[in-house]
Amino acid sequence: MATVSALTKLIVDKSKCESVCTHLPTYDRSQLKHGIVHLSVGNFHRSHLAYYMDVLASEHGHTDWGIVGVGVRSFDKPMSTVLKAQDGLYTLVTKGTDKNDVNVRVIGSLIRYLFAPDEPEVVLATLAHPNTKIVSMTITESGYDLDMNNPDIQHDLKNSAQPKTAFGFLVHGLDARRRANEKPFTIMSCDNVQQNGEVARNCVLQFAKALNNPELTAYIATKVTFPNAMVDRITPATSDADREYVRKHCGIADAWPVVTEPFVQWVIEEKFCNDRPPLELLSASPYNVLLTEHVEAYECMKMRLLNASHTGMCYIGYLMGYTYIHEIMLDKQIEVYIKDLMDNEVTPTLPPVPGIDLENYKRTLIERFSNPHIKDTALRVCMDGASKFPKFLVPTIVEQLKRGNNPHFCALAVGAWIRYLGGVDEHEKPITLQDALAVELKLSELAIKTKPNAKAILSVPQVFDNLAENQPFANAVERVVQLLYTVGSKETLKQWVNEAPKKD
């Protein structure tokens, strides 16, 4: 059986594995059908959707929901090499705040991996296969900034047999289903984008319309569904220390394990045009899956509290010299800042969230951010700021300004990012910007050219809309940037916390 031989190759110390691993695949992977194709397999997918499908197969005997992973871009090649060598198997390690709270599980739901640049025809054939009921994706926030003039997009519009992009594969795959008179697949975004299903739908339709194929466009518009979803599990990049931990403590030679936190959550819209997994079986803790007709309130809560707080702390924390998120969160001034941001600026803007105790949710976030065993780096969270601010922080800023309030700590978050865009830290060491949209908009060059003036960045509509026109907020951000350049990050944070408006 494929599972046994592949697993045998991974296990280098059977006794350690048997004593530490809480779960190995109990199902025959050779009998596991693929029901899902996932575009852009990263660590989050492997800690979230692939984990859920493994639970359904192992604990509930549902074997129709194996996953075919697809690496879409050239940078997916290393992952492709590893997962193909391991027959899709990998180790998922969850670490809680207590050092003894460790769970080790070998995931078997990823039954095949395709590297699209080498085999686009095989990917298209898999998308067209009637077993494919869902195509999911994690292409990051910036992946939905669809530029129809991008050379790869232009290539995909002219080359239906060999696409290069996620949207090229989706649309040409759907066209193959349409021409074969097959039911379409559901397109399921698992990215941290508000109304991610609707955003994905808009991108897919925009691409389809550019093909000038009215029948295909109508088919997608009327037959294909794009459920909105809120996904949550803090999952950092894999380090060499993680590989060594898995080998030394678990007896497994896994070249790309995943280390994550115990908490996991998925709220998804009940909107599937084809079959779906029996997700209702995963509704209880610790799985926390909720099928609902209304996802918006949960999305809003998670993005404005968790993601906005992450974004708010990472730039100032990096400038202060911290490496990991838990180190940032242990700084008492940061803790005051983040709690104030959540309590006094974000929470008043949130809609009611059914079944959620917001005060408990916020306390849990502080605990999760403070987990010392996850080793989530500030640099990872600092990635793609230009795509994150419009989704995570700008809505709170706009809402507070409408109410006549000048959001004090939101200004600190924005100012710290603008200082970060300056390209060097406080010790004159270069900052490597990992932010496709910021590079495209030349934001770093703009920040350097205009420093310490912040209004030039605030005037970039793709990120901040028209916030530069609000003089009180623009002045607050500019003051943050000036303080960061003159007195440094630690003193700026101290002053900003001390100057926070007092609440009754």
Side-chain angles (χ1 to χ4, degrees):
M1 189 167 63
T3 300
V4 174
S5 61
L7 201 53
T8 301
K9 290 178 184 178
L10 285 184
I11 298 172
V12 293
D13 189 326
K14 188 176 180 181
S15 62
K16 278 186 179 178
C17 183
E18 289 177 346
S19 65
V20 173
C21 289
T22 53
H23 202 284
L24 300 174
T26 57
Y27 47 90
D28 184 347
R29 292 181 75 228
S30 68
Q31 299 302 309
L32 194 60
K33 295 179 185 176
H34 94 263
I36 300 173
V37 174
H38 186 84
L39 304 181
S40 293
V41 175
N43 278 12
F44 177 75
H45 166 71
R46 296 193 295 148
S47 76
H48 196 265
L49 178 58
Y51 160 71
Y52 280 130
M53 295 308 103
D54 187 74
V55 172
L56 284 178
S58 280
E59 276 87 319
H60 299 280
H62 288 276
T63 56
D64 291 336
W65 297 103
I67 300 170
V68 175
V70 177
V72 179
R73 309 314 296 256
S74 58
F75 53 70
D76 292 318
K77 184 65 173 178
M79 177 78 75
S80 169
T81 301
V82 168
L83 289 179
K84 285 185 176 184
Q86 297 182 181
D87 194 29
L89 293 167
Y90 63 92
T91 316
L92 180 68
V93 182
T94 61
K95 294 183 177 183
T97 53
D98 187 312
K99 67 178 182 179
N100 295 317
D101 183 10
V102 179
N103 185 289
V104 180
R105 182 182 185 111
V106 175
I107 303 293
S109 56
L110 191 63
I111 57 176
R112 192 179 180 196
Y113 189 97
L114 302 172
F115 183 56
D118 288 349
E119 45 195 344
E121 297 90 349
V122 180
V123 175
L124 284 173
T126 307
L127 292 171
H129 196 287
N131 277 4
T132 301
K133 307 298 194 298
I134 295 171
V135 179
S136 55
M137 56 184 174
T138 42
I139 58 175
T140 77
E141 296 91 347
S142 61
Y144 299 88
D145 297 322
L146 186 60
D147 176 8
M148 297 305 294
N149 294 317
N150 180 280
D152 286 347
I153 292 291
Q154 286 296 309
H155 169 275
D156 287 2
L157 292 172
K158 299 168 186 172
N159 296 275
S160 61
Q162 295 184 322
K164 293 183 177 181
T165 69
F167 293 110
F169 278 109
L170 288 169
V171 174
H172 293 307
L174 283 169
D175 195 28
R177 304 278 284 231
R178 178 186 69 86
R179 288 184 280 105
N181 207 25
E182 289 283 353
K183 285 180 71 173
F185 47 72
T186 298
I187 295 179
M188 187 171 72
S189 170
C190 297
D191 283 298
N192 279 319
V193 176
Q194 191 153 12
Q195 294 288 280
N196 52 13
E198 192 63 29
V199 171
R201 182 178 189 271
N202 291 339
C203 290
V204 168
L205 282 172
Q206 185 180 357
F207 184 98
K209 288 173 183 176
L211 291 171
N212 295 316
N213 184 334
E215 292 83 6
L216 174 60
T217 302
Y219 172 83
I220 294 172
T222 59
K223 305 283 188 184
V224 183
T225 55
F226 301 77
N228 294 307
M230 182 272 271
V231 295
D232 190 5
R233 195 171 211 180
I234 296 172
T235 309
T238 302
S239 67
D240 287 338
D242 296 329
R243 295 179 178 91
E244 178 62 21
Y245 176 90
V246 168
R247 173 180 279 274
K248 183 177 179 180
H249 294 279
C250 310
I252 300 174
D254 188 339
W256 214 312
V258 179
V259 177
T260 189
E261 62 175 341
F263 182 89
V264 61
Q265 188 177 25
W266 191 12
V267 180
I268 185 162
E269 188 177 12
E270 177 69 278
K271 191 178 182 182
F272 293 81
C273 60
N274 208 319
D275 294 344
R276 66 161 176 82
L279 299 175
E280 56 275 5
L281 296 175
L282 305 176
S283 60
S285 180
Y287 308 117
N288 304 310
V289 176
L290 173 65
L291 283 158
T292 179
E293 294 182 2
H294 303 289
V295 177
E296 294 88 341
Y298 300 93
E299 289 179 323
C300 191
M301 171 191 74
K302 190 255 180 173
M303 291 181 190
R304 295 193 191 183
L305 286 172
L306 188 156
N307 296 114
S309 296
H310 245 168
T311 303
M313 75 176 74
C314 67
Y315 301 105
I316 190 74
Y318 180 85
L319 293 171
M320 292 169 72
Y322 294 119
T323 301
Y324 296 107
I325 292 296
H326 74 271
E327 294 173 337
I328 297 173
M329 199 64 239
L330 291 174
D331 186 295
K332 293 303 179 185
Q333 295 286 337
I334 292 280
E335 184 179 352
V336 171
Y337 155 39
I338 293 302
K339 285 182 175 179
D340 207 320
L341 173 69
M342 290 198 293
D343 290 342
N344 298 320
E345 298 184 11
V346 175
T347 299
T349 73
L350 296 177
V353 188
I356 299 293
D357 179 340
L358 281 179
E359 294 308 309
N360 182 62
Y361 181 80
K362 288 184 286 187
R363 283 192 297 270
T364 301
L365 286 182
I366 297 297
E367 292 173 8
R368 293 169 64 194
F369 293 150
S370 304
N371 187 337
H373 305 295
I374 294 300
K375 303 294 185 185
D376 197 10
T377 65
L379 275 177
R380 183 193 77 85
V381 184
C382 285
M383 292 172 61
D384 295 322
S387 296
K388 290 177 177 176
F389 272 93
K391 300 172 179 73
F392 301 156
L393 270 158
V394 169
T396 293
I397 297 168
V398 170
E399 183 59 33
Q400 286 290 4
L401 292 175
K402 281 182 182 177
R403 299 180 184 189
N405 304 319
N406 194 9
H408 183 75
F409 285 113
C410 286
L412 176 62
V414 174
W417 180 58
I418 293 174
R419 170 64 184 85
Y420 179 88
L421 288 173
V424 293
D425 66 16
E426 294 178 1
H427 302 287
E428 296 301 314
K429 293 182 179 178
I431 296 172
T432 302
L433 188 64
Q434 296 177 281
D435 190 331
L437 182 58
V439 171
E440 178 187 332
L441 297 173
K442 295 181 168 51
L443 296 188
S444 190
E445 293 91 327
L446 185 60
I448 293 168
K449 180 180 178 181
T450 60
K451 72 177 186 182
N453 185 326
K455 292 179 183 175
I457 299 292
L458 282 177
S459 299
V460 176
Q462 295 93 326
V463 182
F464 293 114
D465 197 14
N466 60 354
L467 285 181
E469 297 175 11
N470 187 287
Q471 203 62 42
F473 183 73
N475 288 344
V477 173
E478 188 145 279
R479 181 161 173 262
V480 170
V481 178
Q482 290 170 346
L483 282 170
L484 287 167
Y485 274 112
T486 54
V487 301
S489 53
K490 292 183 179 180
E491 184 59 31
T492 298
L493 177 63
K494 181 179 177 181
Q495 285 191 37
W496 214 253
V497 167
N498 289 338
E499 294 173 10
K502 304 301 179 188
K503 298 296 179 181
D504 298 331

